[in-house]
Amino acid sequence: MKIAIAGTGYVGLSNGILLAQHNEVVALDIIPEKVEMINNKISPIDDKEISDYLKSKKLNFRATLDKYDAYENADYIIISTPTDYDPETNFFNTKLVEIVVKDVLEINPKATMVIKSTVPVGYTKSLNEKFDTKNIIFSPEFLREGSALYDNLYPSRIIVGEKSDRAQSFANLLAEGAIKEDIAILLTDSTEAEAIKLFANTYLALRISYFNELDSYAQHNDLSTKDIIQGVGLDPRIGNHYNNPSFGYGGYCLPKDTKQLRANYKNVPNNIIGAIVDSNATRKDFIADSIIRKNPKIVGIFRLVMKSGSDNFRASAIQGIMKRIKAKGIEVVVYEPVYDGDDFFHSRVIKDLKEFKKISDVIVANRLSGDIEDVQSKVYTRDLFGKDK
């Protein structure tokens, strides 16, 4: 089959490489530099498996700037464009998705469009009605930034939002490219599939928030957070996973997905869903206050990225903490090797790690690293287990 991919972020690129093992895949992007890198077998994002597969695997995969080249004669067109949350409308911004749909209906109206971008509940159904088509389906992704291709090769499940032969065929294509065998495949209606994505991510945010609030309680009362979490996690219904305290949930998905689900609950009685969003802000307040109480003149932020193996700091929780500290008149400096600028939102970026460690009175690190072991007395972190989650 020929499969087109609209957008070459984590979702588009990982799906494209997965499918290019057994199909012709053409990825469309609007950034010439990204297209050139992909065609030279260089990953434009930090993902070990994507880099390895581009370099060493036999793939029928290329990138283009030409939408006609990408869409013509394609059987499936995967839409993986950004859908940032718009706080004014309380909905995802789906303009880029609709631009792709318009182009596909003009160029190749018989193609099946598969939305992989996260969208509001009910969106796919309304989009089919808006454009008078039945060729748009939804398939949620459950990928981690930095491990996107790995999570496609070893998926927890494959869900496609249509109960049809073409939906089953698409699910089979994803399973064919995976290494894991006996993958759970679930076909649902599109609206249920959209809800699955938002509820799954909101549950993950809930779990993060729960252990963060446990940690806040333990800190406030001078208790051992680590002991409490370990004791709680010995219950097999809870488990010792996804329980490492942090500065709050961040990244591209969880902040916007929790807010979107809260908006979808506008006319539905709820307490927990809204509290998850509020809890994240409260955690940032608590962390910032804990740092401010140390009376530092200069606070050093060690890494803007929130987890290992990622080069992305969109909506990272540390940014909210920086704002709160700076609001108190305390100077904040940043050490982030994947960032090229000289300042980050009016905070100096220190390129030299030795200088950064020397001038910082408190070094704030969401996750510990061997790079700051020698200044442990300066480090403020809530990383108790040495793992991302």
Side-chain angles (χ1 to χ4, degrees):
M1 288 192 179
K2 178 184 177 183
I3 300 168
I5 309 285
T8 60
Y10 282 97
V11 176
L13 199 52
S14 62
N15 275 277
I17 291 172
L18 179 85
L19 294 165
Q21 297 174 96
H22 302 287
N23 304 275
E24 176 192 359
V25 178
V26 182
L28 176 68
D29 207 288
I30 60 172
I31 303 173
E33 292 80 9
K34 288 184 74 175
V35 169
E36 184 178 358
M37 289 180 72
I38 292 168
N39 287 334
N40 287 325
K41 301 184 182 302
I42 300 170
S43 175
I45 57 179
D46 187 1
D47 186 297
K48 181 182 181 299
E49 283 74 24
I50 287 177
S51 296
D52 290 347
Y53 269 60
L54 280 174
K55 288 178 183 177
S56 61
K57 293 289 183 178
K58 186 177 180 180
L59 304 172
N60 189 352
F61 185 64
R62 62 185 175 86
T64 183
L65 296 166
D66 184 352
K67 61 186 178 183
Y68 291 92
D69 180 25
Y71 299 153
E72 282 179 345
N73 301 314
D75 299 285
Y76 289 97
I77 295 169
I78 295 176
I79 302 174
S80 55
T81 53
T83 51
D84 295 324
Y85 184 78
D86 186 340
E88 293 186 5
T89 63
N90 283 331
F91 276 95
F92 292 132
N93 185 339
T94 55
K95 290 179 181 177
L96 293 178
V97 173
E98 296 192 22
I99 288 171
V100 174
V101 170
K102 288 177 184 176
D103 287 342
V104 172
L105 290 175
E106 175 190 324
I107 298 168
N108 185 3
K110 292 184 179 180
T112 299
M113 290 169 270
V114 182
I115 298 175
K116 279 282 183 180
S117 307
T118 307
V119 296
V121 176
Y123 177 75
T124 304
K125 182 180 178 182
S126 67
L127 200 62
N128 275 302
E129 293 171 352
K130 178 178 179 178
F131 288 99
D132 192 24
T133 182
K134 295 181 179 178
N135 284 345
I136 308 169
I137 63 179
F138 176 76
S139 176
E141 55 82 16
F142 305 99
L143 310 177
R144 298 167 295 169
E145 292 183 358
S147 305
L149 181 52
Y150 180 91
D151 290 338
N152 263 318
L153 294 169
Y154 299 92
S156 57
R157 70 281 207 199
I158 294 171
I159 296 172
V160 184
E162 187 176 83
K163 297 178 180 179
S164 65
D165 290 341
R166 65 182 180 182
Q168 184 66 56
S169 174
F170 181 74
N172 292 343
L173 289 173
L174 297 177
E176 181 185 33
I179 295 173
K180 181 181 176 181
E181 298 179 355
D182 299 321
I183 302 162
I185 294 176
L186 177 65
L187 303 186
T188 71
D189 290 335
S190 62
T191 304
E192 281 78 2
E194 292 158 349
I196 288 167
K197 174 60 187 292
L198 293 186
F199 276 102
N201 274 353
T202 300
Y203 175 79
L204 295 178
L206 167 65
R207 188 168 173 109
I208 292 168
S209 299
Y210 176 85
F211 284 106
N212 281 343
E213 290 205 358
L214 184 159
D215 179 54
S216 295
Y217 178 86
Q219 279 193 84
H220 180 78
N221 291 285
D222 197 26
L223 304 175
S224 170
T225 299
K226 189 172 185 178
D227 286 350
I228 297 172
I229 289 177
Q230 286 178 325
V232 169
L234 289 173
D235 185 328
R237 295 171 300 176
I238 299 171
N240 277 308
H241 64 278
Y242 218 72
N243 61 359
N244 195 19
S246 67
F247 296 158
Y249 60 79
Y252 183 61
C253 291
L254 298 194
K256 70 186 184 79
D257 289 4
T258 51
K259 291 174 182 176
Q260 178 62 72
L261 188 59
R262 180 178 63 175
N264 284 128
Y265 263 84
K266 182 179 179 181
N267 298 315
V268 180
N270 77 97
N271 295 108
I272 294 175
I273 301 301
I276 295 167
V277 177
D278 296 338
S279 175
N280 210 40
T282 300
R283 176 63 170 177
K284 293 174 189 177
D285 289 339
F286 180 86
I287 294 294
D289 289 343
S290 299
I291 296 165
I292 291 165
R293 280 198 297 271
K294 295 179 179 292
N295 295 316
K297 291 183 179 179
I298 299 178
V299 171
I301 303 299
F302 178 76
R303 307 302 307 268
L304 296 168
V305 298
M306 299 301 288
K307 59 184 178 181
S308 59
S310 173
D311 60 352
N312 190 357
F313 41 83
R314 291 178 295 184
S316 61
I318 195 70
Q319 294 184 47
I321 292 163
M322 288 172 63
K323 291 176 184 176
R324 288 160 169 81
I325 294 171
K326 289 161 70 173
K328 297 296 184 181
I330 300 169
E331 183 180 0
V332 173
V333 298
V334 174
Y335 175 77
E336 179 48 77
V338 302
Y339 181 70
D340 294 330
D342 293 323
D343 72 272
F344 184 79
F345 289 102
H346 308 294
S347 292
R348 280 191 296 150
V349 174
I350 310 298
K351 307 289 187 181
D352 183 79
L353 182 57
K354 287 184 179 179
E355 181 189 356
F356 170 81
K357 290 190 283 192
K358 182 179 179 181
I359 67 172
S360 300
D361 299 311
V362 175
I363 295 174
V364 180
N366 186 59
R367 293 294 177 246
L368 288 172
S369 163
D371 291 336
I372 51 175
E373 278 183 352
D374 58 326
V375 287
Q376 205 164 13
S377 62
K378 289 186 174 186
V379 174
Y380 178 87
T381 185
R382 298 312 306 152
D383 180 5
L384 303 181
F385 298 105
K387 58 184 181 181
D388 285 330
K389 290 290 187 290

